[in-house]
Amino acid sequence: MPTVGVTDLNDDDFLLDVREDEEWQAGHAGGALHIPMSDFVARYGELAEAAPRDGRVHVICRSGGRSAQVTMYLIQQGVDAVNVDGGMQVWQAAGRPVITDGGTPGAVV
């Protein structure tokens, strides 16, 4: 499975967050696209519209399990996708910003 570390991500990398709504609302990475794994297949078109045409999709969840499943699905669809190793837990531990929809500091739950 292709993976990338949180510290290897650049601010302009496309990030897809597949955590559930309550996890997202508690805190997420700014600029990420949110499509919960439970809705992913039905909402795949949203990713197709938002993702860069020739770019990579970096998939993240809380710890890396759900994002690994979505990454494998995307690869099967011909998308250049990688799993973010350790997920939002590592993101937060690395000091990367976690925000709410209102822009205030958030938390990973």
Side-chain angles (χ1 to χ4, degrees), residues 8-30:
D8 296 322
L9 292 172
N10 297 314
D11 290 341
D12 59 344
D13 285 335
F14 185 83
L15 192 62
L16 170 65
D17 190 323
V18 297
R19 296 175 301 147
E20 295 303 314
D21 288 335
E22 59 276 358
E23 294 172 287
W24 170 267
Q25 291 166 3
H28 55 269

Side-chain angles (χ1 to χ4, degrees), residues 85-103:
D85 192 32
M88 287 298 297
Q89 290 177 322
V90 171
W91 179 279
Q92 186 174 39
R96 294 268 181 133
V98 177
I99 60 169
T100 65
D101 283 339

Side-chain angles (χ1 to χ4, degrees), residues 9-59:
L9 292 172
N10 297 314
D11 290 341
D12 59 344
D13 285 335
F14 185 83
L15 192 62
L16 170 65
D17 190 323
V18 297
R19 296 175 301 147
E20 295 303 314
D21 288 335
E22 59 276 358
E23 294 172 287
W24 170 267
Q25 291 166 3
H28 55 269
L33 173 65
H34 178 232
I35 304 176
M37 182 176 159
S38 60
D39 296 338
F40 190 76
V41 174
R43 293 176 56 189
Y44 180 79
E46 292 176 43
L47 174 66
E49 288 180 17
R53 295 281 177 234
D54 295 323
R56 176 171 280 172
V57 175
H58 300 81
V59 188

